[in-house]
Amino acid sequence: MATTTMPAANLFLDHPDSIAPATLFVDVVFDRPFDHAYTYGVPDAMRETVGVGKRVECPFGRGDKTTEGYVIRVADVPPERAVKNIARVLDDTALLDEHLLKLTRWMADYYLCGWGQVLHAVVPAGVRDKAGTKNVVFVQPTPREELPNPLPTVTPKQKQALDRLKKEGQPMELHALARMMGGGTAPISGLISKGLVRKFVERMERSEIDRRAEFRKEPGESPGHPAADAGRLATPIVMNADQTAVWETLLPILGEGGFHPFLLHGVTGSGKTEVYLRAIEEVVRQGKEAIVLVPEISLTPQTIERFSGRCGVVAVLHSHLTDSERGQYWRRVAAGQVQVVVGARSAVFAPTRKLGVIIIDEEHETSFKQEATPRYHARDVAVMRARLANVPIILGSATPSLESWHNAHRADGYTLLSLPNRVENRPLPKVQLVDLRHEPKTPGKHFAIGPTLELGIKNALKAGGQVMLFLNRRGFSTHVHCPSCGHVAQCAHCDLSLTFHRHKAALVCHYCGFETAPFTKCPSCSQVSIRYQGLGTEKLQEEIEAKIPNKFVQRMDSDTMSKPGSHQRVLDAFREGLIHILLGTQMIAKGLDFPNVTLVGVVNADVGLHLPDFRAAERTFQLLAQVSGRAGRGEKGGQVMIQTFTPDHPCISLATRHDFISFSKQELGHRREHNYPPYQRLARLIVRSEKESLAAAFAETLAGAFKAAVARVTKPGAPSLRLLGPAECPVFKLNGYYRFHFQIQSENAGMLHAVMREVLSAAKPPHGVEFQVDVDPYSML
Ligand code: ADP
Ligand code: ZN
C-alpha cells in the first residue's frame, strides 16, 4: 500500500512486484482537462503486455487512487525523478493505432483540452469494458515432442475425449467438447493435469461465438455477410453529364490516393449520392475502406439501404446501438472485416486500418459539432484525419457551410465540384412567398395557416399529391404569459421560457427538460387570465385537422418519435400514401425522398432568424433550401409555399430562388465586415457557477489574465486579435448555472491558441466554478 506521506523514492519498497527498480517506463494521460502526461515505471511482469494505445491502471492524484489512463509512450530511459509503477495493464491489444493517436493528439492541441479527455471520448464505452466479448477456453492435444515421459495412463472417458479432440484436428472449445462427450468437464481437466491436453484462453466476440454455434448446426451464411448483401445489388445508374464530369475529376485522384479535399456542391436531388457510391466502390475495389458521415437524422433505413446495396460489408454506427453493439462494430472495423462505416459524428473515429476515402454528406450540418468536451467538429476532424492518413475527402452539400465554401475559393483550398441541376432535368420547385403581414385575418383568432397556404394544401391533395408542413418548434404553446402583470412562464433553471405541451399536460423547458404543471392563475399576480400563445407543432396539428377534415395528418417531432422504429413506421406509411399530410420539425427537413410530395409548406420562416447568433441567416437559408428540396422530386413536379413576416430578408428571398451563390456572396460580405468566421477564427470561453457572484468574480480574474496575454501577442505588425468580454451569455442562466463568456477573434489561429493556452494554463478556478472552452463555437447562446 502506498501512502502519500512516503517519499517518492521509497515507493518501490511498497510494491511486492517491484522490488527491483523498473527499467521500462510509460507516459500515461488521464481523462482530465489538463494536457500533461505522467511517467510511471513498468513492473517486469507487465513488460510484455504494456504498449502504446492500451489502457493501464495506476496510482494517481490525491491518495494515489487507482485510476485508468492511456499509455501514449513507452521508453527505457529512466526519468530524472523516481516514479511510481503502473498497477495493471487493462487491454490485450492497443485500442488505437498510431494514426488515431496522432489525430487525437492534434484534437487536444486544437480544441484546448486534455489528450486523455479526447481518448476517453473517442473509444466507445463498449470497447473499454469489453462489452459483447467473453473469455473462451480452448483445448488441444499436447504436441508429440512435449508429451510427458513416461505416458500416464488414462481412464476410458479420458481416452474417448482425447480421441475426439485429435480427430477434430484443431483446437476445440472446452465446453463444446464436454457437451459432445455427453458429460461434464472432469475428464478433460484430468487430461490437462496429466499433461496430455493443453488449454488456452481467447477473448472472443459474443456474436462470433453465436455464429460458430450457428455454423455447427447448419452451414450457411449469417445475415450481414458479403454474400448475403451481394444478392441485393441495385441496378447501376447511368450518370448524367454533370455527374460524369465530377466523376472524371475524382477518379484519378481516388486511384492515386493522397490527401485531396473536395467540396461537392450539388442542389437537392442532383444525384450526389451516386457520386459517393462510386467513390466508395472504387476504394473498396482497391481493397481499402471508406468512412461516410451523415447527420444522425439521416441515418434512416433508406439511406443505409443505398449504401449496403452496393458496397460490401457496411457497418452503421447510430445512436441507438447498445454499448456492446458499438464495441462489436469497433472491433470488427479494427479487424478489417468492414469495408464501409456509415455513421454520425463519432464515426469519424472508426478504427479503419486501410482508409481509402472519407465522405461527409450535408457537411454544413451543425450536428457534426459536439457540444460537450472535446467540443470538436467532425468535419474539421475528418479533414485532419484525411490529411494524416493521406487520403481524399469529399464534403457534399446543397448549401455548403460558409467555412467550406470560402475554403473552396482559396488558392490552396478545397477543389470545388458542382452538380448545378437536378437529375433527369427535373426542375427545382417553384417557391412562393406568402407575406403574413398581408394575409387576411380572422378577428379574434390566431391561425398558423393563412388562407393562401390553406388553399394550396387543399389543391395539392385534390390533385392526388401529398403535403409536408414544416415548423421548427415543438409543443403546443411556446409562450405562456399573464397579460395583466407580464409574467412569463420560465424555467426554474434556465433563462428560457417554458413551452406548454398539451398531450403531456405540462410546461416543459426544451433545454434542460424541467417540467411543471400548467397554471390557470398567474403565480405572480394571481390573475386568472393566463394566455397560451405562440405556435408549436402540437397546436399546428390541431389546426390542420380542423381545417382539412377527413385527411390523415401525422406529426413528426421528438415528442411523437421517441420509440425506436416509430420514425421509420411513419415514413413507410407516408410513402405508401396512408398519410396525406406530414408535419414536423427539422426531422422532416433533411434528405427525405418522396416523389409524390407536390407541396411543401413552411409555416414560419422567421423562427430562427432573429437569434443573437452570427450564423442565424446562414442557418435559415440552409433550412429553407433543405425543406424546399423535399418538393417536386417525382414526375408530378411540385411547389413550395413559405409564410413569413420578412419576405425581403435576403436569406429568405434568395432561398426562394435557390440562389446559394448570391446568398454566400452577401453573407460573406457581412462576415468579413464584422470579423466573423470564416475570415477570422473564433474561440469562446464560458465561466459558470451555480453562484452568480462566484462566476462574476472569476470572470473578472480571467479578464486580467486575458488582457495580459493579449498585450503580449499584439505587437505592431502582428496579425490582429480582439477580445470581447467578459459579458453575460445571451442565455445567462442555463441548467442552474450563471454564465459569463469571453470571445476572442483573430485572423491567425496560432495566435488565438497561444492566448487561450496562456490564460487556461494559469487559470485556477475556485471551488464551485468551472470553465468551458469552445474553439470554433457553433452555439453562441
Ligand atoms: P442528392 O443527394 O443530390 O439530393 P440523390 O443522390 O438523392 O440527390 O438523387 C436523387 C434521386 O435521383 C435518387 O433517387 C437517385 O437514385 C436518382 N439519380 C441519381 N443519379 C441519377 C441519374 N444519373 N439518372 C437518373 N436518376 C438518378
Ligand atoms: Zn431549463
Side-chain angles (χ1 to χ4, degrees), residues 14-85:
D14 299 331
H15 291 276
D17 53 351
S18 54
I19 308 270
T23 53
L24 192 68
F25 302 89
V26 286
D27 286 353
V28 178
V29 292
F30 298 96
D31 179 19
R32 299 286 191 286
F34 35 74
D35 200 13
H36 185 70
Y38 295 80
T39 305
Y40 287 87
V42 179
D44 280 347
M46 296 172 208
R47 284 184 74 97
E48 299 301 317
T49 46
V50 81
V52 171
K54 291 185 184 182
R55 288 166 311 145
V56 289
E57 274 179 359
C58 11
F60 181 66
R62 212 171 285 165
D64 276 345
K65 226 175 123 215
T66 302
T67 310
E68 191 178 305
Y70 290 80
V71 176
I72 50 140
R73 202 173 80 103
V74 179
D76 50 15
V77 187
E80 283 173 14
R81 291 197 309 149
V83 291
K84 297 171 203 166
N85 278 359

